[in-house]
Coordinates of all heavy atoms in Angstrom, one line a residue:
M1 N -36.9 10.6 -33.6 CA -37.2 10.8 -32.2 C -36.3 9.9 -31.3 O -35.9 10.4 -30.2 CB -38.7 10.4 -32.0 CG -39.2 10.7 -30.7 SD -39.3 12.4 -30.4 CE -40.0 12.5 -28.8
K2 N -36.1 8.7 -31.8 CA -35.2 7.8 -31.0 C -33.8 8.4 -30.8 O -33.2 8.3 -29.8 CB -35.1 6.4 -31.6 CG -36.4 5.6 -31.5 CD -36.3 4.3 -32.1 CE -37.6 3.5 -32.1 NZ -37.4 2.2 -32.6
K3 N -33.3 9.0 -31.9 CA -31.9 9.6 -31.8 C -31.9 10.8 -30.9 O -31.0 10.9 -30.1 CB -31.5 10.1 -33.2 CG -31.2 8.9 -34.2 CD -30.8 9.5 -35.5 CE -30.6 8.3 -36.5 NZ -30.2 8.8 -37.8
Y4 N -33.0 11.6 -30.9 CA -33.0 12.7 -30.0 C -33.1 12.2 -28.5 O -32.4 12.7 -27.6 CB -34.3 13.6 -30.3 CG -34.4 14.7 -29.4 CD1 -33.6 15.8 -29.5 CD2 -35.4 14.8 -28.4 CE1 -33.7 16.9 -28.6 CE2 -35.6 15.8 -27.6 CZ -34.7 16.9 -27.7 OH -34.8 18.0 -26.8
F5 N -33.9 11.2 -28.2 CA -34.0 10.6 -26.9 C -32.7 10.0 -26.4 O -32.3 10.3 -25.3 CB -35.1 9.5 -26.9 CG -35.3 8.9 -25.5 CD1 -35.9 9.6 -24.5 CD2 -34.8 7.6 -25.3 CE1 -36.0 9.0 -23.2 CE2 -34.9 7.0 -24.1 CZ -35.5 7.7 -23.0
L6 N -32.0 9.3 -27.3 CA -30.7 8.8 -27.0 C -29.7 9.9 -26.7 O -28.9 9.8 -25.7 CB -30.2 7.9 -28.1 CG -28.9 7.1 -27.9 CD1 -29.1 6.2 -26.8 CD2 -28.5 6.4 -29.2
F7 N -29.7 10.9 -27.4 CA -28.8 12.0 -27.2 C -29.1 12.7 -25.9 O -28.2 13.0 -25.1 CB -28.9 13.0 -28.4 CG -28.0 14.2 -28.2 CD1 -26.7 14.2 -28.5 CD2 -28.6 15.5 -27.8 CE1 -25.9 15.3 -28.3 CE2 -27.8 16.6 -27.7 CZ -26.4 16.5 -27.9
V8 N -30.3 12.9 -25.6 CA -30.7 13.6 -24.4 C -30.4 12.8 -23.1 O -30.1 13.3 -22.1 CB -32.3 14.0 -24.4 CG1 -32.8 14.4 -23.1 CG2 -32.5 15.0 -25.5
T9 N -30.4 11.5 -23.2 CA -30.1 10.7 -22.0 C -28.6 10.4 -21.9 O -28.2 10.3 -20.8 CB -30.9 9.3 -22.1 OG1 -30.6 8.7 -23.3 CG2 -32.4 9.5 -22.0
L10 N -27.9 10.3 -23.0 CA -26.5 10.0 -22.9 C -25.6 11.2 -22.5 O -24.6 11.0 -21.8 CB -26.0 9.4 -24.2 CG -26.4 7.9 -24.4 CD1 -25.8 7.4 -25.7 CD2 -25.9 7.0 -23.3
V11 N -25.9 12.4 -23.0 CA -25.1 13.5 -22.7 C -25.0 13.8 -21.2 O -23.9 14.0 -20.7 CB -25.6 14.8 -23.5 CG1 -24.9 16.0 -23.1 CG2 -25.4 14.5 -25.0
P12 N -26.1 13.9 -20.5 CA -26.0 14.1 -19.0 C -25.2 13.0 -18.3 O -24.4 13.3 -17.4 CB -27.4 14.1 -18.5 CG -28.2 14.5 -19.7 CD -27.5 13.9 -20.8
C13 N -25.3 11.8 -18.7 CA -24.6 10.7 -18.1 C -23.1 10.8 -18.4 O -22.3 10.6 -17.5 CB -25.1 9.3 -18.7 SG -26.7 8.9 -18.1
L14 N -22.7 11.2 -19.6 CA -21.3 11.4 -19.9 C -20.7 12.6 -19.1 O -19.6 12.6 -18.7 CB -21.1 11.6 -21.4 CG -21.4 10.3 -22.2 CD1 -21.3 10.6 -23.7 CD2 -20.5 9.2 -21.9
A15 N -21.5 13.6 -19.0 CA -21.1 14.8 -18.3 C -20.8 14.5 -16.8 O -19.9 15.0 -16.2 CB -22.1 16.0 -18.4
I16 N -21.7 13.7 -16.2 CA -21.5 13.3 -14.8 C -20.3 12.4 -14.6 O -19.7 12.5 -13.5 CB -22.8 12.7 -14.3 CG1 -24.0 13.7 -14.3 CG2 -22.7 12.1 -12.9 CD1 -25.3 13.1 -14.0
A17 N -20.0 11.6 -15.5 CA -19.0 10.6 -15.4 C -17.6 11.2 -15.4 O -16.6 10.5 -15.2 CB -19.1 9.5 -16.5
Q18 N -17.4 12.4 -15.8 CA -16.1 13.0 -15.9 C -15.5 13.3 -14.5 O -16.2 13.8 -13.6 CB -16.2 14.4 -16.7 CG -16.7 14.2 -18.1 CD -15.8 13.3 -19.0 OE1 -14.6 13.5 -18.9 NE2 -16.3 12.4 -19.7
N19 N -14.2 13.1 -14.4 CA -13.5 13.4 -13.1 C -12.7 14.6 -13.4 O -11.9 14.7 -14.3 CB -12.6 12.3 -12.7 CG -13.4 11.1 -12.3 OD1 -14.5 11.2 -11.8 ND2 -12.8 9.9 -12.4
A20 N -12.8 15.6 -12.5 CA -12.0 16.8 -12.6 C -10.7 16.6 -12.0 O -10.5 16.1 -11.0 CB -12.7 18.0 -11.9
Q21 N -9.6 17.0 -12.7 CA -8.2 17.0 -12.2 C -8.0 18.3 -11.5 O -8.1 19.4 -12.0 CB -7.3 16.9 -13.4 CG -7.3 15.5 -14.1 CD -6.5 14.5 -13.4 OE1 -5.6 14.8 -12.7 NE2 -6.8 13.2 -13.7
T22 N -7.5 18.2 -10.3 CA -7.2 19.3 -9.5 C -5.7 19.3 -9.2 O -5.2 18.4 -8.7 CB -7.9 19.4 -8.1 OG1 -7.6 18.2 -7.4 CG2 -9.4 19.5 -8.3
G23 N -5.0 20.3 -9.6 CA -3.6 20.4 -9.4 C -2.8 19.5 -10.4 O -3.3 18.9 -11.3
A24 N -1.6 19.3 -10.0 CA -0.7 18.4 -10.8 C -1.0 17.0 -10.5 O -1.4 16.7 -9.4 CB 0.8 18.7 -10.5
P25 N -0.8 16.1 -11.5 CA -1.1 14.7 -11.2 C -0.1 14.2 -10.2 O 1.0 14.6 -10.1 CB -0.9 14.0 -12.6 CG -0.1 15.0 -13.4 CD -0.4 16.4 -12.8
K26 N -0.6 13.2 -9.4 CA 0.3 12.6 -8.4 C 1.3 11.7 -9.0 O 1.1 11.0 -10.0 CB -0.6 11.8 -7.4 CG -1.5 12.6 -6.6 CD -2.3 11.8 -5.7 CE -3.3 12.6 -4.9 NZ -4.1 11.8 -4.0
K27 N 2.5 11.8 -8.4 CA 3.6 11.0 -8.9 C 3.8 9.7 -8.1 O 3.6 9.8 -6.9 CB 4.9 11.8 -8.9 CG 5.0 12.9 -9.8 CD 6.3 13.6 -9.8 CE 6.3 14.8 -10.7 NZ 7.6 15.5 -10.7
A28 N 4.1 8.6 -8.7 CA 4.3 7.4 -8.0 C 5.6 7.4 -7.3 O 6.6 7.9 -7.8 CB 4.2 6.2 -8.9
I29 N 5.6 6.8 -6.1 CA 6.9 6.7 -5.3 C 7.5 5.4 -5.6 O 6.9 4.3 -5.4 CB 6.6 6.8 -3.8 CG1 6.0 8.2 -3.5 CG2 7.9 6.6 -3.0 CD1 5.5 8.3 -2.0
I30 N 8.7 5.4 -6.2 CA 9.3 4.2 -6.6 C 10.6 4.1 -5.8 O 11.4 5.0 -5.8 CB 9.7 4.2 -8.1 CG1 8.4 4.3 -8.9 CG2 10.5 3.0 -8.5 CD1 8.6 4.5 -10.4
K31 N 10.8 2.9 -5.1 CA 12.0 2.7 -4.4 C 12.7 1.5 -5.1 O 12.1 0.5 -5.4 CB 11.7 2.3 -2.9 CG 11.1 3.5 -2.1 CD 10.9 3.1 -0.7 CE 10.3 4.3 0.1 NZ 10.1 3.9 1.5
T32 N 14.0 1.7 -5.3 CA 14.8 0.7 -5.9 C 15.5 -0.1 -4.8 O 16.2 0.5 -4.0 CB 15.8 1.3 -6.9 OG1 15.1 2.1 -7.8 CG2 16.6 0.2 -7.6
V33 N 15.3 -1.4 -4.8 CA 15.9 -2.2 -3.8 C 16.6 -3.3 -4.5 O 16.0 -4.0 -5.4 CB 14.9 -2.8 -2.8 CG1 15.5 -3.7 -1.8 CG2 14.1 -1.7 -2.1
K34 N 17.9 -3.5 -4.2 CA 18.6 -4.6 -4.9 C 18.2 -5.9 -4.4 O 17.9 -6.1 -3.2 CB 20.1 -4.4 -4.7 CG 20.6 -4.4 -3.3 CD 22.1 -4.2 -3.3 CE 22.6 -4.2 -1.8 NZ 24.0 -4.1 -1.7
P35 N 18.2 -6.9 -5.2 CA 17.8 -8.3 -4.8 C 18.7 -8.8 -3.6 O 19.9 -8.5 -3.6 CB 18.0 -9.1 -6.0 CG 18.0 -8.2 -7.2 CD 18.6 -6.9 -6.6
A36 N 18.1 -9.5 -2.7 CA 18.9 -10.0 -1.6 C 18.4 -11.4 -1.3 O 17.4 -11.8 -1.8 CB 18.7 -9.1 -0.4
D37 N 19.1 -12.0 -0.4 CA 18.7 -13.4 0.0 C 17.9 -13.4 1.3 O 17.7 -14.4 1.9 CB 20.0 -14.2 0.2 CG 20.9 -13.7 1.2 OD1 20.8 -12.5 1.6 OD2 21.9 -14.4 1.6
G38 N 17.4 -12.2 1.6 CA 16.6 -12.1 2.9 C 15.3 -11.4 2.6 O 14.8 -11.3 1.5
Y39 N 14.7 -10.8 3.6 CA 13.5 -10.0 3.5 C 13.7 -8.6 4.1 O 14.6 -8.4 4.9 CB 12.3 -10.7 4.2 CG 12.5 -11.1 5.7 CD1 12.2 -10.1 6.6 CD2 13.0 -12.3 6.1 CE1 12.4 -10.4 8.0 CE2 13.2 -12.6 7.4 CZ 12.9 -11.6 8.3 OH 13.1 -11.9 9.7
L40 N 12.8 -7.7 3.6 CA 12.8 -6.4 4.1 C 11.3 -6.0 4.3 O 10.6 -6.0 3.3 CB 13.5 -5.4 3.1 CG 13.4 -3.9 3.4 CD1 14.1 -3.5 4.7 CD2 13.9 -3.1 2.2
I41 N 10.9 -5.7 5.5 CA 9.5 -5.3 5.7 C 9.6 -3.9 6.3 O 10.1 -3.6 7.3 CB 8.8 -6.2 6.7 CG1 8.8 -7.7 6.2 CG2 7.4 -5.7 7.0 CD1 8.4 -8.7 7.2
M42 N 8.9 -2.9 5.5 CA 8.9 -1.5 5.9 C 7.4 -1.2 6.2 O 6.5 -1.6 5.4 CB 9.4 -0.6 4.9 CG 10.9 -0.9 4.5 SD 11.5 -0.1 3.1 CE 11.3 1.6 3.6
G43 N 7.1 -0.6 7.4 CA 5.7 -0.3 7.7 C 5.5 1.0 8.4 O 6.5 1.6 8.9
N44 N 4.3 1.5 8.3 CA 3.9 2.7 9.0 C 2.8 2.3 10.0 O 1.9 1.5 9.7 CB 3.3 3.7 8.0 CG 4.2 4.1 7.0 OD1 5.4 4.2 7.3 ND2 3.7 4.4 5.8
I45 N 2.9 2.8 11.2 CA 1.9 2.5 12.3 C 1.6 3.7 13.1 O 2.5 4.5 13.3 CB 2.5 1.3 13.1 CG1 1.5 0.8 14.1 CG2 3.7 1.8 13.9 CD1 1.8 -0.5 14.7
K46 N 0.4 3.9 13.4 CA 0.0 5.1 14.2 C -0.5 4.6 15.6 O -1.0 3.5 15.7 CB -1.1 5.9 13.5 CG -0.6 6.5 12.2 CD -1.7 7.3 11.6 CE -1.2 7.9 10.3 NZ -2.1 8.7 9.6
G47 N -0.4 5.5 16.5 CA -1.0 5.2 17.9 C 0.0 4.7 18.9 O -0.3 4.4 20.0
F48 N 1.3 4.5 18.4 CA 2.3 4.0 19.3 C 3.4 5.0 19.5 O 3.7 5.8 18.6 CB 2.9 2.7 18.8 CG 2.0 1.5 18.8 CD1 1.2 1.2 17.7 CD2 1.8 0.7 20.0 CE1 0.3 0.2 17.7 CE2 0.9 -0.3 20.0 CZ 0.1 -0.6 18.9
T49 N 4.0 5.1 20.6 CA 5.1 6.1 20.9 C 6.4 5.6 20.3 O 6.6 4.4 20.1 CB 5.3 6.3 22.4 OG1 5.6 5.0 23.0 CG2 4.0 6.8 23.0
D50 N 7.3 6.5 20.0 CA 8.6 6.2 19.5 C 9.3 5.3 20.5 O 9.2 5.5 21.8 CB 9.5 7.4 19.3 CG 9.0 8.2 18.0 OD1 8.2 7.7 17.3 OD2 9.6 9.3 17.8
G51 N 10.1 4.3 20.0 CA 10.8 3.4 20.9 C 10.0 2.1 21.2 O 10.6 1.2 21.8
T52 N 8.8 2.0 20.8 CA 8.0 0.8 21.0 C 8.6 -0.3 20.1 O 8.9 -0.1 19.0 CB 6.5 1.0 20.7 OG1 6.0 2.1 21.5 CG2 5.7 -0.3 20.9
T53 N 8.8 -1.5 20.7 CA 9.4 -2.6 20.0 C 8.3 -3.3 19.1 O 7.2 -3.6 19.5 CB 9.9 -3.6 20.9 OG1 10.9 -3.0 21.8 CG2 10.6 -4.8 20.2
V54 N 8.7 -3.6 17.8 CA 7.9 -4.3 16.9 C 8.7 -5.6 16.5 O 9.9 -5.6 16.3 CB 7.7 -3.5 15.6 CG1 6.9 -4.3 14.6 CG2 7.0 -2.2 15.9
S55 N 8.0 -6.8 16.6 CA 8.7 -8.0 16.3 C 7.9 -8.8 15.3 O 6.7 -8.8 15.2 CB 8.8 -8.9 17.6 OG 9.5 -8.2 18.6
L56 N 8.7 -9.6 14.5 CA 8.2 -10.5 13.5 C 8.4 -11.9 14.2 O 9.5 -12.3 14.4 CB 8.9 -10.5 12.2 CG 8.5 -11.5 11.2 CD1 7.0 -11.3 10.7 CD2 9.4 -11.4 10.0
L57 N 7.3 -12.6 14.5 CA 7.3 -13.8 15.3 C 7.3 -15.0 14.4 O 6.5 -15.0 13.4 CB 6.2 -13.9 16.3 CG 6.2 -12.8 17.3 CD1 5.0 -12.9 18.3 CD2 7.5 -12.7 18.1
N58 N 8.0 -16.1 14.8 CA 7.9 -17.3 14.1 C 6.6 -18.0 14.3 O 6.1 -18.1 15.5 CB 9.1 -18.3 14.6 CG 9.1 -19.6 13.8 OD1 8.1 -20.2 13.5 ND2 10.4 -20.0 13.5
G59 N 5.9 -18.4 13.2 CA 4.6 -19.0 13.4 C 4.5 -20.3 14.1 O 3.5 -20.7 14.6
S60 N 5.6 -21.0 14.1 CA 5.7 -22.4 14.7 C 5.9 -22.3 16.2 O 5.2 -23.0 16.9 CB 6.8 -23.2 14.0 OG 6.5 -23.4 12.7
N61 N 6.9 -21.6 16.6 CA 7.2 -21.6 18.0 C 7.1 -20.3 18.7 O 7.4 -20.2 19.9 CB 8.6 -22.2 18.2 CG 9.7 -21.4 17.4 OD1 9.5 -20.3 17.0 ND2 10.8 -22.1 17.1
G62 N 6.8 -19.2 18.0 CA 6.6 -17.9 18.6 C 7.9 -17.1 19.0 O 7.8 -16.1 19.6
T63 N 9.0 -17.6 18.5 CA 10.2 -16.8 18.8 C 10.4 -15.7 17.8 O 9.9 -15.8 16.7 CB 11.5 -17.7 18.7 OG1 11.5 -18.3 17.4 CG2 11.4 -18.9 19.7
P64 N 11.0 -14.6 18.2 CA 11.1 -13.4 17.3 C 12.1 -13.7 16.2 O 13.3 -14.2 16.4 CB 11.6 -12.3 18.2 CG 11.7 -12.8 19.6 CD 11.4 -14.2 19.6
E65 N 11.7 -13.5 14.9 CA 12.6 -13.6 13.8 C 13.4 -12.3 13.5 O 14.5 -12.4 13.1 CB 11.8 -14.0 12.5 CG 11.2 -15.4 12.6 CD 12.2 -16.5 12.6 OE1 13.2 -16.4 11.9 OE2 11.9 -17.6 13.2
A66 N 12.7 -11.2 13.7 CA 13.3 -9.9 13.5 C 12.6 -8.9 14.5 O 11.5 -9.1 14.9 CB 13.1 -9.4 12.1
T67 N 13.4 -8.0 15.0 CA 12.9 -7.0 15.9 C 13.4 -5.6 15.5 O 14.5 -5.4 15.0 CB 13.4 -7.3 17.4 OG1 13.0 -8.6 17.7 CG2 12.8 -6.4 18.4
S68 N 12.5 -4.6 15.7 CA 12.8 -3.2 15.4 C 12.1 -2.3 16.4 O 11.3 -2.8 17.2 CB 12.4 -2.9 14.0 OG 12.7 -1.6 13.6
Q69 N 12.4 -1.0 16.3 CA 11.7 -0.1 17.1 C 11.0 1.0 16.2 O 11.5 1.3 15.2 CB 12.6 0.6 18.1 CG 13.2 -0.4 19.1 CD 13.7 0.3 20.3 OE1 13.9 1.5 20.4 NE2 14.1 -0.5 21.3
I70 N 9.9 1.5 16.7 CA 9.1 2.5 16.0 C 9.8 3.9 16.2 O 10.2 4.3 17.3 CB 7.7 2.6 16.5 CG1 7.0 1.3 16.2 CG2 6.9 3.8 15.8 CD1 5.6 1.2 16.9
V71 N 10.1 4.5 15.0 CA 10.6 5.9 15.0 C 9.8 6.7 14.0 O 9.7 6.4 12.9 CB 12.1 5.9 14.6 CG1 12.7 7.3 14.5 CG2 12.9 5.0 15.5
N72 N 9.2 7.8 14.5 CA 8.4 8.7 13.7 C 7.3 7.9 12.9 O 7.1 8.0 11.7 CB 9.2 9.4 12.6 CG 10.2 10.4 13.3 OD1 9.9 10.9 14.3 ND2 11.3 10.6 12.7
E73 N 6.6 7.0 13.6 CA 5.5 6.2 13.1 C 5.9 5.2 12.0 O 5.1 4.8 11.2 CB 4.3 7.0 12.7 CG 3.7 7.9 13.8 CD 2.5 8.7 13.3 OE1 2.4 8.9 12.1 OE2 1.8 9.2 14.1
K74 N 7.2 4.8 12.0 CA 7.7 3.9 10.9 C 8.6 2.9 11.6 O 9.2 3.1 12.6 CB 8.5 4.7 9.9 CG 7.7 5.7 9.1 CD 8.5 6.3 8.0 CE 7.6 7.4 7.3 NZ 8.3 8.0 6.2
F75 N 8.7 1.7 10.9 CA 9.6 0.6 11.4 C 10.1 -0.1 10.2 O 9.5 -0.1 9.1 CB 8.9 -0.3 12.4 CG 7.8 -1.1 11.8 CD1 8.0 -2.4 11.3 CD2 6.5 -0.6 11.8 CE1 7.0 -3.1 10.8 CE2 5.4 -1.4 11.3 CZ 5.7 -2.6 10.8
T76 N 11.2 -0.8 10.4 CA 11.8 -1.6 9.3 C 12.3 -2.9 9.9 O 13.0 -2.9 10.9 CB 13.0 -0.9 8.6 OG1 12.5 0.3 8.1 CG2 13.5 -1.7 7.5
L77 N 11.9 -4.0 9.4 CA 12.3 -5.4 9.8 C 13.1 -6.0 8.7 O 12.6 -6.0 7.6 CB 11.1 -6.3 10.2 CG 10.2 -5.8 11.3 CD1 8.9 -6.6 11.4 CD2 10.9 -5.9 12.6
T78 N 14.3 -6.5 9.0 CA 15.1 -7.1 8.0 C 15.6 -8.4 8.6 O 15.8 -8.6 9.8 CB 16.3 -6.3 7.6 OG1 17.1 -6.0 8.8 CG2 15.9 -5.0 6.9
G79 N 15.9 -9.4 7.7 CA 16.5 -10.6 8.2 C 16.6 -11.6 7.0 O 16.3 -11.3 5.9
K80 N 17.0 -12.8 7.4 CA 17.1 -13.9 6.4 C 16.3 -15.1 6.9 O 16.1 -15.3 8.1 CB 18.6 -14.3 6.3 CG 19.5 -13.3 5.7 CD 20.9 -13.7 5.5 CE 21.7 -12.6 4.9 NZ 23.1 -13.1 4.6
S81 N 15.8 -15.8 5.9 CA 15.0 -17.0 6.2 C 15.4 -18.1 5.3 O 15.6 -17.9 4.1 CB 13.5 -16.6 6.0 OG 12.7 -17.8 6.3
E82 N 15.5 -19.3 5.9 CA 15.9 -20.4 5.1 C 14.8 -20.9 4.1 O 15.0 -21.3 3.0 CB 16.3 -21.6 6.0 CG 17.5 -21.3 6.9 CD 18.8 -21.1 6.1 OE1 18.9 -21.9 5.1 OE2 19.6 -20.3 6.5
I83 N 13.5 -20.8 4.6 CA 12.4 -21.2 3.9 C 11.3 -20.1 3.9 O 11.1 -19.5 4.9 CB 11.8 -22.5 4.5 CG1 12.8 -23.6 4.6 CG2 10.6 -23.0 3.7 CD1 12.4 -24.8 5.4
A84 N 10.8 -19.9 2.7 CA 9.6 -18.9 2.6 C 8.4 -19.6 3.1 O 7.9 -20.6 2.5 CB 9.4 -18.5 1.2
D85 N 7.9 -19.2 4.3 CA 6.8 -19.9 4.9 C 5.8 -18.8 5.3 O 6.1 -18.0 6.2 CB 7.3 -20.6 6.1 CG 6.2 -21.5 6.8 OD1 5.2 -21.8 6.1 OD2 6.3 -21.9 7.9
F86 N 4.6 -18.8 4.7 CA 3.5 -17.9 5.1 C 2.3 -18.7 5.7 O 2.0 -19.7 5.1 CB 3.0 -17.1 3.9 CG 4.1 -16.2 3.3 CD1 4.8 -16.6 2.2 CD2 4.4 -15.0 3.9 CE1 5.8 -15.8 1.6 CE2 5.4 -14.2 3.4 CZ 6.1 -14.6 2.2
K87 N 1.8 -18.2 6.7 CA 0.6 -18.9 7.3 C -0.5 -17.9 7.5 O -0.4 -16.8 7.7 CB 1.0 -19.5 8.7 CG 2.1 -20.5 8.5 CD 2.4 -21.2 9.8 CE 3.4 -22.2 9.6 NZ 3.7 -23.0 10.8

């Protein structure tokens, strides 16, 4: 009786836990970037018009370290930094 009860309770749980695959599996997007002595920040942003300026500001004095403009909801900031400093 215990085996029957265990079977009756586990089978529905296992059936519910299955995930259906729809279509082809998603492929990972891999970008190869060669090592550099600087930084590269790529971002997506919505709600701003093309041409809007995006700046990476210095945490100590507020001066811009890198500046870019939004094009098709994307921006890229590149530059070099003497010290890796995150705040």
Side-chain angles (χ1 to χ4, degrees):
M1 185 68 174
K2 289 181 183 180
K3 289 181 183 178
Y4 179 71
F5 178 73
L6 185 62
F7 180 75
V8 170
T9 55
L10 285 181
V11 169
C13 292
L14 293 174
I16 293 171
Q18 299 297 317
N19 291 332
Q21 291 277 339
T22 57
K26 295 181 181 178
K27 294 182 180 179
I29 298 172
I30 300 172
K31 293 184 180 182
T32 305
V33 179
K34 63 181 180 178
D37 58 348
Y39 58 85
L40 171 67
I41 301 172
M42 299 169 65
N44 299 328
I45 190 165
K46 293 183 180 182
F48 292 93
T49 59
D50 285 354
T52 302
T53 303
V54 177
S55 297
L56 176 64
L57 302 178
N58 185 316
S60 299
N61 55 22
T63 60
E65 295 288 328
T67 304
S68 179
Q69 294 198 354
I70 298 172
V71 177
N72 295 328
E73 298 182 345
K74 296 181 181 184
F75 66 91
T76 303
L77 298 169
T78 57
K80 293 183 179 182
S81 179
E82 298 294 323
I83 302 170
D85 186 20
F86 296 101
K87 295 184 180 185

